[in-house]
Amino acid sequence: MQNSIKYLVGFMLTCVVYVNYAQEVNNSEKIEQLENQKTLVQNEEKEQLKQAVEAINVRLDNKEISYEEASKLKSAAAEKHALNIENRLTIIENRIALLERNAHVTQDTGANLDGFTLEIGKNKDSDEYDVKSIYIGPKTKKKPVVYDRRTTSDLVFAIGFNNAIIEGQSLNDSPYKIGGSGFVELGWAWKTRIFENTNAVRFKYGLSVQWNKLDIKDNLYFTEENDVVTLEEHPLNLNKSKFRTTNLVIPMHFEFGPSKKIERDDYFRYSTYKKFKFGIGGYGGIVMQSLQKLKYDENGSKQKDKFKDYNTNNFVYGLSSYVSWGNVGIYAKYDLSTIFKDQAIEQNNISLGLRFDMD
């Protein structure tokens, strides 16, 4: 046992020595790298200044700003990047001086200009997060900022009540429970600005999965005979009778509403943060699965039945609309397609709930 402990301690000490040795870097090599970085820093700042000037010229050509305003912006950009060069070169010079005074310097990841970074930024004057740079790699190789991002994307999530409009019946007479019937929608959406110089109208489109559930009351359940689906009373007392369809759809909406224009030297964005939005459109797709669940007691034992793939329509399509303030809104959708291909009485799914657009 003592020998094992000795070997273990020896192994750990060896690892520590190896790690410390690996962390030490040769001064001359590091100084040479830093000297080369001086040129990289100057070239990077000059390139960024060039892009900023080009962006200002675009605004001048579009008559968004006057010649005097453009001159002021160019002077401010030149001063900014000149100071950037001065400050960044000072950091490198201090690093070189530190290396020259010491035989060995332990690698300091905090001060390592060649380190790897992930940058997700929010401008101090912005109302919302606007990612200027997402980059994993040397800091001297930032991705350039896109001057005008016309298309953005976001996560969409909706949840609420679900039921069915039945021919010749009102919702009050529906065979489905209001509280137990619900829907969930989860998807990814893209939003494209339609006009060049205004964000008043946007086209929103994407891909979503919809789950529509009906909680059947009065001891009823769906039966299928000769491909015709009807609601019948179950011979036993049902504890649960639920029917669910899973759809994969492509939603498409025209979105209207005001936005705030955020302008910077090298880019501009339209922000709908805390703004009113109104969307109207529809969706179309396929029914991936239909499922009925029944729970009941038989001869003192609990039973559970599952019936898949009823004679539902293979395709689903409908109308939808939402009214939002910021990222949260009221959402309604109505299937123009009937739930089943052949049914004694036509019925169309309808949903109402909350919609969350994480844009």
Side-chain angles (χ1 to χ4, degrees):
M1 182 68 178
Q2 290 181 346
N3 288 335
S4 298
I5 295 176
K6 289 179 182 178
Y7 290 141
L8 180 60
V9 172
F11 175 75
M12 293 174 64
L13 290 175
T14 302
C15 290
V16 171
V17 171
Y18 176 77
V19 170
N20 287 335
Y21 174 78
Q23 287 180 334
E24 292 183 345
V25 292
N26 182 275
N27 279 8
S28 60
E29 293 180 359
K30 192 62 182 177
I31 290 173
E32 184 178 354
Q33 292 176 5
L34 291 170
E35 289 289 353
N36 292 334
Q37 260 190 4
K38 290 182 180 179
T39 303
L40 293 176
V41 164
Q42 294 180 65
N43 290 339
E44 182 189 48
E45 293 295 336
K46 289 178 181 178
E47 179 61 27
Q48 291 182 7
L49 175 60
K50 179 183 176 182
Q51 293 177 8
V53 171
E54 289 176 353
I56 294 169
N57 287 334
V58 169
R59 296 175 62 191
L60 179 61
D61 293 340
N62 293 336
K63 298 181 180 180
E64 297 178 8
I65 55 177
S66 65
Y67 180 80
E68 290 74 15
E69 290 175 317
S71 298
K72 291 180 181 178
L73 289 174
K74 290 178 182 179
S75 298
E79 182 180 357
K80 168 189 168 182
H81 291 286
L83 289 173
N84 286 352
I85 292 174
E86 180 181 343
N87 294 153
R88 294 176 67 181
L89 290 181
T90 299
I91 293 173
I92 295 175
E93 291 290 353
N94 290 337
R95 181 68 175 165
I96 292 174
L98 178 64
L99 290 168
E100 290 175 342
R101 285 196 303 271
N102 298 276
H104 291 284
V105 175
T106 302
Q107 189 82 317
D108 180 3
T109 57
N112 178 21
L113 297 178
D114 294 326
F116 288 83
T117 64
L118 171 62
E119 297 184 8
I120 303 176
K122 178 180 180 182
N123 293 305
K124 63 180 182 178
D125 299 324
S126 177
D127 290 329
E128 61 181 6
Y129 280 94
D130 182 43
V131 179
K132 289 196 65 176
S133 173
I134 300 178
Y135 180 72
I136 300 178
K139 288 186 178 180
T140 56
K141 295 182 181 179
K142 281 187 180 180
K143 291 177 66 177
V145 179
V146 179
Y147 179 68
D148 178 12
R149 186 178 291 121
R150 196 159 180 170
T151 298
T152 59
S153 61
D154 65 276
L155 178 71
V156 175
F157 174 73
I159 188 170
F161 298 104
N162 193 64
N163 217 287
I165 299 295
I166 302 176
E167 185 181 10
Q169 293 184 12
S170 67
L171 280 176
N172 293 329
D173 301 322
S174 173
Y176 311 117
K177 298 177 183 178
I178 299 296
S181 303
F183 84 97
V184 174
E185 181 173 333
L186 180 65
W188 194 261
W190 288 266
K191 183 167 63 177
T192 299
R193 189 174 82 245
I194 292 180
F195 300 111
E196 181 70 26
N197 297 317
T198 177
N199 195 43
V201 184
R202 289 86 66 179
F203 182 52
K204 195 156 190 173
Y205 50 95
L207 187 67
S208 293
V209 178
Q210 296 175 345
W211 294 271
N212 298 321
K213 184 182 70 172
L214 296 171
D215 191 352
I216 308 172
K217 60 186 179 181
D218 298 330
N219 211 53
L220 299 176
Y221 75 113
F222 284 118
T223 63
E224 183 178 345
E225 185 174 352
N226 297 326
D227 293 333
V228 178
V229 178
T230 58
L231 274 173
E232 302 289 344
E233 186 172 357
H234 200 274
L236 300 174
N237 291 324
L238 294 173
N239 298 321
K240 180 181 292 186
S241 177
K242 295 181 182 293
F243 180 78
R244 186 188 71 208
T245 57
T246 303
N247 306 327
L248 180 65
V249 300
I250 298 176
M252 293 178 287
H253 296 91
F254 285 102
E255 185 179 279
F256 306 87
S259 59
K260 177 181 178 181
K261 188 175 184 180
I262 300 172
E263 298 185 78
R264 298 291 179 268
D265 291 341
D266 53 351
Y267 77 99
F268 77 89
R269 297 287 183 269
Y270 287 100
S271 170
T272 57
Y273 180 70
K274 290 186 178 180
K275 298 292 185 180
F276 171 81
K277 303 174 189 175
F278 170 65
I280 185 167
Y283 52 90
I286 59 173
V287 178
M288 295 192 295
Q289 186 189 67
S290 59
L291 174 68
Q292 180 170 220
K293 290 183 180 180
L294 302 177
K295 288 185 179 182
Y296 54 91
D297 295 328
E298 185 176 22
N299 297 327
S301 62
K302 295 184 180 298
Q303 301 293 330
K304 181 190 295 185
D305 293 337
K306 290 185 179 180
F307 305 98
K308 293 183 179 180
D309 299 325
Y310 273 74
N311 191 27
T312 52
N313 274 307
N314 296 326
F315 299 97
V316 61
Y317 55 91
L319 302 174
S320 55
S321 182
Y322 57 88
V323 178
S324 303
W325 174 261
N327 297 332
V328 183
I330 298 174
Y331 178 49
K333 61 185 182 72
Y334 174 70
D335 288 359
L336 294 174
S337 55
T338 56
I339 297 176
F340 302 103
K341 291 181 182 178
D342 297 307
Q343 49 193 11
I345 302 175
E346 287 193 358
Q347 46 189 320
N348 303 72
N349 201 82
I350 187 170
S351 307
L352 177 66
L354 295 178
R355 177 185 172 108
F356 302 88
D357 290 84
M358 313 304 178
D359 56 357

